[in-house]
Amino acid sequence: MKRRITIPVLFMMLLCSGCARSTMTEQQPAAKEQISDTGYVKASAGNYDSADTAVVVKINEEEETITLMNYVVGKNYTLQYDGTTTISDKYQQAIALAQIAQGDIVDVTFMKRQKRLNSIQLSAKAWVYEDVTKYELGRNHKSMTIGQDEYKLDEHAAVISGEKQAEFMDLTDGDTLIVRGVDKTIYSIVVDRGHGYLRLINDEYFIGGWIEVGQELIQPVTEGMLLAVPEGVYQVLLTNKGIEGNKEVTIIRDSEVELDVGDIKAEEIKYGNIVFSLKPAEAKLRIDGKAVDTGDKVKLEYGIHQMIAEAAGYKTITQYVKVGQELAKIDLELELQEKEDTTDTTDTTDTTYQPGVSANTISSNNTVTNTAGNAASKVSIDAPKGAEVYVDGRYVGTAPVTFAKTEGSHTVILRKDGCQTKSYTLQLDATQKDISYSFADLVASISKKE
């Protein structure tokens, strides 16, 4: 009997105890969370408030940042990437960050305020040309010709050399480029293989002779010359009055190298015999300015000689020939002058120069800079003051300096002790109008900074 009474009482006591705890919880709610606008958004794929099509300027893997340039306004901005950033190719397939390169045109989404990169994709609209060596910048750098095709050069196009952004004028003949664009407009140019500078010392014996740097360039040796040469390792061949010497040199981008040729000893002068075949038969030939009889072998010193072939009613051929063996033959066939052509009859035949091939013809427009110009038309380099100025390798004086203006592309090199040597490419027109340039001060060399 006592058991029947005790069990219900205990049950009721437990039930009331549970109700009491429940009532206490409802009466003491947690304090309300204080929320403030910090601008923070949790990083996750798909979070973005901005989008852009831009050029990749720099990727810093240590800091996990990507610097981009909006080519519409030419403004750089830097975004942070992380493990949630999606990276894809133009087909929207996932790729590694290492497959994104400087100069790439990309579509990006990002959080503008937090500077956080949400996604980056190689633009499906962009094209790329690699190993570009045959190119020409148009007047005022508004266009660029690659091979036979002409493209508009966007005014904000990114020019990148190494870790630095450069300018159109920094590009030099011989640089190897990677060019990217959309439709017929170029938006980025990356210097894949740049150039350095070569100076000869103790070269008195070779002044007036010729210098060949691998297959990259060939031109006369002038006093105090300074050459812009594509980076790489070369055999340098010097010839003068039948004597030749060969040395190896390594050219480093943006650096100047001195090559001492004073230890090249003069040896017995060597001669070669050239058999010329001319068409038409009445054509006349001059070697180094002197008329020669082509009815017999022509004896010439080893080295490079100017050759001019001309005949009435035909286009004149002006070329350079390298003599390097005892006997060789050269065939020259002049083209008929067009009747309606009333311009100067002088013509340069474009023949590729191949070092090591004896009695080979060399295109003159690739070897010698025409220093003659209209006396009424001048080019002035006004700054940086005190810098040595070289035009196509020839020393012309210290800035401010003036030299004759000639139409075409010309490389101007600026040099100053304790500073990094710098070069620019000038595109000069044929108008009889003076022009002047003032370049930025040369940057102090690393050794001087230290």
Side-chain angles (χ1 to χ4, degrees), residues 108-176:
V108 294
T109 61
F110 55 97
M111 296 296 293
K112 185 175 182 180
R113 184 175 177 182
Q114 293 76 39
K115 297 182 179 180
R116 177 190 163 272
L117 180 62
N118 174 71
S119 69
I120 181 168
Q121 177 186 350
L122 293 173
S123 176
K125 298 179 181 179
W127 48 259
V128 55
Y129 290 151
E130 298 182 341
D131 298 323
V132 177
T133 56
K134 302 293 184 182
Y135 61 88
E136 183 178 345
L137 293 174
R139 296 283 186 262
N140 300 319
H141 304 130
K142 293 184 177 180
S143 65
M144 185 176 191
T145 301
I146 302 175
Q148 301 296 321
D149 300 322
E150 184 173 339
Y151 297 85
K152 177 185 176 182
L153 197 55
D154 187 81
E155 63 176 322
H156 297 303
V159 180
I160 304 169
S161 179
E163 295 295 319
K164 302 177 294 184
Q165 282 189 259
E167 302 176 0
F168 299 133
M169 292 178 68
D170 294 328
L171 303 176
T172 301
D173 290 343
D175 287 348
T176 301

Side-chain angles (χ1 to χ4, degrees), residues 272-280 283 285-287 292 294-298 300-301 303-309 317-334 349 351 357-362:
N273 292 291
I274 312 299
V275 177
F276 289 95
S277 175
L278 300 181
K279 291 183 181 180
L285 184 68
R286 285 181 288 142
I287 302 291
V292 296
T294 57
D296 197 359
K297 299 175 185 177
V298 178
L300 297 171
E301 294 179 354
I304 298 171
H305 303 270
Q306 185 190 57
M307 174 181 67
I308 300 176
I317 294 178
T318 301
Q319 293 179 342
Y320 290 81
V321 57
K322 178 183 176 182
V323 180
Q325 66 182 38
E326 293 183 3
L327 182 63
K329 182 180 180 181
I330 295 179
D331 297 320
L332 293 173
E333 183 173 356
L334 282 66
T349 301
T351 306
V357 179
S358 301
N360 187 51
T361 51
I362 307 165

Side-chain angles (χ1 to χ4, degrees), residues 52-59 65-71 74-80 100-101 103-110 117 119-120 158 165:
D52 191 17
T53 298
V55 174
V56 176
V57 174
K58 183 179 180 180
I59 299 176
T65 60
I66 297 180
T67 300
L68 303 157
M69 187 196 75
N70 178 294
Y71 53 71
K75 183 178 180 181
N76 286 6
Y77 58 96
T78 300
L79 301 175
Q80 193 87 30
I100 302 291
D104 274 336
I105 299 174
V106 294
D107 297 321
V108 294
T109 61
F110 55 97
L117 180 62
S119 69
I120 181 168
Q165 282 189 259

Side-chain angles (χ1 to χ4, degrees), residues 401-416:
V401 65
T402 300
F403 56 91
K405 177 184 177 185
T406 55
E407 182 181 13
S409 176
H410 301 276
T411 300
V412 171
I413 301 176
L414 304 175
R415 181 187 182 278
K416 202 172 187 178

Side-chain angles (χ1 to χ4, degrees), residues 11-23:
F11 175 77
M12 292 298 295
M13 291 176 64
L14 292 170
L15 181 62
C16 292
S17 175
C19 292
R21 284 197 296 270
S22 175
T23 303

